[in-house]
Amino acid sequence: MPDTSTGSDTSKRDTGTTRNAARPSRRTVLAATAGLTAALTVPATAHADTPDDRSLRALLSRMTLEEKVGQLFVMRVYGTSATAPDQADIDANLGELGVRTAAELIAKYRVGGIIYFTWAHNTRDPHQILELSNGIQQASLAQPRGLPMLIATDQEHGAVCRVGKPATLLPGAMAIGAGGSRADARGLGRISGTELRALGINQDYSPDADVNVNPANPVIGVRSFGADPAAVAGLVAAEVKGYQAARVAATAKHFPGHGDTAVDSHYGFPVITHSRELWEKLDAVPFRAAIAAGIDSIMTAHIQFPALDDSGDPATLSHPILTGILRGELGYDGVVITDSLGMEGVRTKYGDDRVPVLALKAGVDQLLNPPSIDTAWNAVLKAVHDGELTEARLDESILRILRLKTRLGLFAQPYADRLAVDRVVGTKSHLAAADRMAERTTTLLVNEGGTLPLDRRAEHRLLVVGADPASPSGTTGPPTGVLAAAFTELGFTATALSTGTAPSAATVDKAVAAAQDADAVVVATYNVTAGNSQRALVDRLVATGRPVVAVAVRNPYDVAQLPSVRACVATYCWTDVELRAAARVIAGRVEPRGKLPVPVQRADDPSRVLYPIGHGLTY
């Protein structure tokens, strides 16, 4: 059974104004881990020399088996507070986790990490996030033999962000790939990491090291830096260095490579058909670069890769892939974490009680977000009691986790500084840097007859129409509204009209009628396919004779489906920072500088390339 003992501080309500005196001090933290050498108390810089493992092994030797099992898990939990969440979040926790709060989860299962999600109500605003992080650390350190926590999230930027405004939101990976600047990739890691660390988040599941060579990839796509493995490798390594500078653990994902699939592993079980030789030349390259850069952790993929393991198991559960290749051939001895164990790709062959055990046997260190913590936790404990897993095997993983916590300085200072949040998060300098990065990524794909830039005197009245997908976390949205507002700030008179991702005939007619009163039309497109009515919308707008500018707000592949358009810009995501930069490019305030990081195939013959990697026009 789980260890249900609780420390004296875990029952205190978190009011959001906890004083330093109400939580364990730095001295108390160190005393709670008595026997650690002074090496653990020195403020750590990212990837400092590993401290004497004898000190960590001494700490490990004092842990109970139940505490060791808990250290392997990184779990979700609902609520804005570690001890006093809203009633709806308490109910969600009871229903899914069997506990009321994060503090109770930690006390019962002694988990080693927590993952933040927007939908779990963990990331409402900077001060709340900081208080939640500090409350989680306090709850863990108050336990017998309490340890600091790894607090993680998916802050990739672009399409995947959990911490939104007023934090700085930066261009996503494929946009950075279009900019081609390693300095920008490093700057992204540094800015993002600095802000996350200020919020008490010390592990980020970024960068994405997948090489996206399949335009139909539904789960990676613009989350990848691109299709050129060498270019992706350079940007991955640079972003890792940026996070290291901010003392946040970076995580390269999804090993052994998720870039060539048409199946989303959240809902299915993708199969990668690359040969071993192709894997070496393509998928492995960015992971090798990440390892050379000192990557803190690597996340596994729930994919079948027969050329690397013909057992039919997902890579997450594959000893040949994780131990044989990642640890053996690539020489990686850092933390290996699974992708979410709630995803269908890892649950296809085995039950939820077998998956965590098989993952550990394969070589995994951290088990991320199983559907039922009770099922998974007890399955691992039973596997040790039954002899299927040895305690020594658990110790190997826990030692890696403790080394990571030490490198991040969490034994020396587990808490975030309440006074630093406003000085660090969403600062003017960070926001300005994000704008400049985005300007370097916007890609002009088509510009026939000098359609662009638009002249605010001759083309003063703009109609902004098109798709309005739900905006990524924390951005303003919808895209047509953001674009219209940006054009208005630039001196145009802009009107927004949302037409959706599949406009009806009546909606198309409405947009065409509105275009009669405009001098030019900007149309936002989103994942256009051959049969999608977004094509009909663009064709009808072009037929009005007004200048029409298409803005591909997600996949640059849209341009192949829009042969009638005379101007097309790619933004690679529909966050505010990228849309505002696109507006400045369209208005001629800055010149387009982005270059395609992926090839765009012809719509009528996908075997032929319409626009190659490196294509990008300027004024």
Side-chain angles (χ1 to χ4, degrees), residues 439-472:
E439 290 173 355
R440 291 189 283 271
T441 70
T442 306
T443 307
L444 179 60
L445 300 174
V446 179
N447 192 23
E448 296 178 6
T451 302
L452 294 178
L454 296 180
D455 186 336
R456 66 186 176 93
R457 291 165 296 183
E459 294 148 335
H460 183 72
R461 296 173 301 167
L462 296 185
L463 173 66
V464 181
V465 303
D468 272 334
S471 290

Side-chain angles (χ1 to χ4, degrees), residues 413-578:
Q413 181 49 270
Y415 297 108
D417 182 356
R418 290 173 174 80
L419 301 179
V421 173
D422 294 331
R423 297 197 306 267
V424 172
V425 178
T427 62
K428 289 182 179 180
S429 62
H430 286 178
L431 295 172
D435 283 336
R436 301 292 84 78
M437 281 186 202
E439 290 173 355
R440 291 189 283 271
T441 70
T442 306
T443 307
L444 179 60
L445 300 174
V446 179
N447 192 23
E448 296 178 6
T451 302
L452 294 178
L454 296 180
D455 186 336
R456 66 186 176 93
R457 291 165 296 183
E459 294 148 335
H460 183 72
R461 296 173 301 167
L462 296 185
L463 173 66
V464 181
V465 303
D468 272 334
S471 290
S473 298
T475 61
T476 303
T480 55
V482 173
L483 282 168
F487 283 120
T488 298
E489 290 176 4
L490 293 168
F492 295 84
T493 298
T495 302
L497 175 62
S498 178
T499 51
T501 56
S504 65
T507 299
V508 173
D509 288 342
K510 183 178 179 180
V512 170
Q516 306 302 322
D517 297 324
D519 299 316
V521 180
V522 175
V523 54
T525 67
Y526 183 92
N527 295 359
V528 182
T529 58
N532 190 284
S533 55
Q534 291 181 71
R535 286 190 61 169
L537 170 66
V538 173
D539 290 343
R540 289 280 305 280
L541 290 170
V542 170
T544 65
R546 274 32 176 203
V548 174
V549 182
V551 181
V553 299
R554 182 167 183 158
N555 289 324
Y557 312 114
D558 285 4
V559 66
Q561 301 290 344
L562 306 173
S564 67
V565 79
R566 294 173 61 83
C568 183
V569 168
T571 67
Y572 308 97
C573 199
W574 59 109
T575 53
D576 298 355
V577 68
E578 288 155 311

